[in-house]
Amino acid sequence: MPEFGALALLPIVVILIVAVATRRTLFALFCGTVAGALILGGWGGFDVWVEYTGKALSNATAQWLLLIVALFGILMMLFEKSGIVTDFARWAERFVTSRRKSTVLTFLLSVVLFVDDYLNVLTTGTSMKPVTDRYRVPRTQLGAIMKMTAAPIAVLVPVSTWALFFSGLFEAQGVTVGGTGFGAYLQAIPFIFFGWAALAVALLMSIGWLPKLGVIKRDAIRAERDGDVFPLGTTDDERRAEGAALLAELKADDPDGSTAQRVATALATSADTGRKPQPWGFLVAMAVLVGVTIVTNANVVAGTAAALAVTLVIVLVQRRLSIRGVLDAALEGIESMLFVMILTVLAFMVQEMNITLQLAEFVIQVTAPVLTPALLPAIVFAVCGIYAYATGSFWDLAAVITPVVLPLALALGADPILAGAAVFSGAALGSTTCLYGDGIILASRSIGIKPINLMLAILPYAGIAAGLSFVLYLVTGFVMA
């Protein structure tokens, strides 16, 4: 049994309790790091806390994420200040004449942006919220659709950052097809059941064939009645900070119920410039972002930097902003992401502490007595999903668990590719649902709501996909045993 045993669970328990009780993700993460530091250092807990701050900042993945967040903050602020994203939204609304079409477009855009889930939620949220706001789609529903799509599509498409990372894990453990881990990953894709189930749920949500549940049902009733698309408890200052100028319009009386007609009239010209909206700036920037990312082997930093360079050229050539305006927007974009950056550092501190506390080893040892070849995939999925949800560790989870699960599968006579797919499904489940995971944090930032509101909205739908996935792993495990 690992040295700390069940005590390793304490930081996670503290984070979940504080987060739910206070709805303050930053404070909850801070409390979790303090609990971890006290367990590891006792009276020297402060020194341990400082040490793990340094570890988080020196983590290559954390540095990569902080760079992505900063670059995307600049890109999104340039889009906003120059009117590029507004033009795209107004143009897209030409094809959106109903609430259902606005949610379907959200789903389709999330599918198209399969290269990386961070890119996905930041782009989809920023570009689609003006569209869905006009049709009184609550922000929680918008966030749920894109989050139920982002990680699942990234884990299923073999040219994404997720696929390249997981392929390397297969190859590192000697599980290959055609001599490569990528070949093994291709064979695993049909068995990444949470990815497929989550995409199906997101599609059904977007076309309205799945009933609204929990938080989304409550928010949808209020949005339809009052035009308030924000979660309950959102302050006026938060609405203003999010730029919710549409709220007053949506609250206006609409006796004939023809929201579409009012929107169509507004689309004739840009209210700010008197010209027709031009979507090409946004579309070209996104095409460059996705294209460069794919060409550079899923290097999202290179793709974002290229898109930023193209956007700068467009903004300056079209005289949307002056050079000073560009510099001001860049600084404001970085400032807008400071909250996300601090959360990221704290999240990586928790992950580093969990490694030292041997949380993964403890969870594996507790479940080991009930493992059989037939049950292995379902149990691995459940353990990985719960662990990822509780810790905010997704790729790190796979990096820690895969070297344990694949040899165990081989030793038990189970299919290692199926077992690996269960690990990846669990990681995708955690990324989709974890309150303090980077996916939820970035998605909530892009649509202007709190992470706790987005997580509570997603949980019922993710639970449906997770339950279906668990059953499929049970059935497949017995069939392939």
Side-chain angles (χ1 to χ4, degrees):
M1 184 69 66
E3 177 185 353
F4 294 95
L7 196 60
L9 294 169
L10 183 59
I12 305 307
V13 172
V14 169
I15 290 171
L16 292 177
I17 291 175
V18 174
V20 173
T22 67
R23 298 200 171 194
R24 306 236 177 234
T25 312
L26 195 66
F27 181 61
L29 273 175
F30 174 75
C31 291
T33 60
V34 170
L38 290 175
I39 294 171
L40 292 170
W43 292 109
F46 178 76
D47 291 335
V48 172
W49 193 90
V50 173
E51 175 190 349
Y52 276 85
T53 302
K55 285 187 176 182
L57 290 171
S58 62
N59 184 292
T61 303
Q63 293 171 357
W64 175 79
L65 180 57
L66 290 173
L67 180 57
I68 283 288
V69 167
L71 288 174
F72 228 97
I74 297 171
L75 182 63
M76 292 299 102
M77 192 57 65
L78 282 176
F79 280 168
E80 180 180 331
K81 295 294 185 181
S82 67
I84 285 178
V85 74
T86 303
D87 270 6
F88 173 78
R90 290 175 179 273
W91 174 80
E93 285 173 340
R94 292 172 178 263
F95 310 100
V96 177
T97 56
S98 67
R99 181 179 302 161
R100 176 177 295 179
K101 287 182 179 179
S102 73
T103 53
V104 169
L105 182 59
T106 299
F107 172 78
L108 293 176
L109 185 58
S110 289
V111 170
V112 169
L113 295 170
F114 58 82
V115 175
D116 184 77
D117 56 326
Y118 301 155
L119 156 69
N120 197 320
V121 296
L122 285 168
T123 304
T124 303
T126 301
S127 59
M128 288 306 302
K129 62 190 176 187
V131 181
T132 55
D133 281 359
R134 289 187 182 275
Y135 291 96
R136 306 191 184 201
V137 176
R139 291 286 178 93
T140 46
Q141 184 178 356
L142 167 63
I145 291 172
M146 69 182 194
K147 268 305 291 166
M148 288 292 291
T149 308
I153 192 66
V155 82
L156 291 175
V157 176
V159 290
S160 69
T161 51
W162 283 62
L164 293 174
F165 179 75
F166 292 150
S167 297
L169 294 180
F170 268 135
E171 193 155 339
Q173 297 304 311
V175 178
T176 61
V177 173
T180 67
F182 184 74
Y185 190 83
L186 289 177
Q187 284 205 1
I189 288 175
F191 303 109
I192 304 177
F193 293 132
F194 180 78
W196 296 110
L199 280 182
V201 168
L203 176 60
L204 293 176
M205 288 175 64
S206 68
I207 60 181
W209 290 1
L210 195 64
K212 295 180 177 64
L213 304 171
V215 170
I216 292 179
K217 181 178 181 180
R218 180 196 67 192
D219 290 348
I221 292 173
R222 193 176 68 262
E224 181 64 30
R225 183 186 65 232
D226 304 328
D228 187 353
V229 297
F230 289 88
L232 191 66
T234 304
T235 66
D236 289 339
D237 286 342
E238 288 169 334
R239 288 188 175 90
R240 282 193 292 271
E242 176 54 21
L246 291 172
L247 192 60
E249 175 191 347
L250 293 173
K251 285 184 176 179
D253 290 335
D254 188 23
D256 62 355
S258 181
T259 304
Q261 183 177 355
R262 189 170 69 247
V263 170
T265 302
L267 290 176
T269 59
S270 169
D272 296 328
T273 63
R275 57 177 173 77
K276 292 182 178 180
Q278 299 294 329
W280 310 116
F282 180 81
L283 292 176
V284 168
M286 288 300 99
V288 168
L289 197 157
V290 175
V292 172
T293 300
I294 293 174
V295 169
T296 56
N297 294 322
N299 187 336
V300 183
V301 172
T304 308
L308 181 56
V310 169
T311 302
L312 283 172
V313 172
I314 292 172
V315 166
L316 293 174
V317 169
Q318 294 184 349
R319 297 184 179 181
R320 290 174 176 263
L321 291 175
S322 65
I323 293 178
R324 181 173 180 175
V326 166
L327 295 176
D328 289 342
L331 181 59
E332 193 172 340
I334 294 174
E335 289 176 348
S336 72
M337 291 294 185
L338 283 178
F339 179 75
V340 176
M341 292 177 178
I342 295 171
L343 281 179
T344 298
V345 173
L346 289 174
F348 274 89
M349 286 177 67
V350 173
Q351 292 176 26
E352 293 286 349
M353 289 177 176
N354 287 337
I355 292 172
T356 304
L357 292 168
Q358 296 181 293
L359 179 58
E361 290 83 349
F362 171 74
V363 172
I364 290 171
Q365 288 196 18
V366 168
T367 57
V370 296
L371 290 178
T372 67
L375 292 176
L376 178 66
I379 292 177
V380 165
F381 168 69
V383 170
C384 288
I386 294 170
Y387 179 85
Y389 172 75
T391 64
S393 176
F394 317 127
W395 285 16
D396 302 44
L397 156 79
V400 171
I401 297 291
T402 304
V404 177
V405 168
L406 296 187
L408 182 60
L410 292 169
L412 292 174
D415 188 328
I417 290 180
L418 178 60
V423 174
F424 307 150
S425 276
L429 170 59
S431 177
T432 302
T433 57
C434 180
L435 170 64
Y436 46 86
D438 39 30
I440 289 284
I441 292 169
L442 294 177
S444 62
R445 171 66 184 85
S446 75
I447 59 175
I449 66 175
K450 296 175 182 177
I452 186 68
N453 296 126
L454 181 54
M455 183 199 72
L456 293 175
I458 289 171
L459 282 179
Y461 301 97
I464 293 171
L468 178 59
S469 301
F470 184 80
V471 172
L472 289 172
Y473 279 119
L474 276 178
V475 173
T476 310
F478 277 98
V479 170
M480 299 178 65

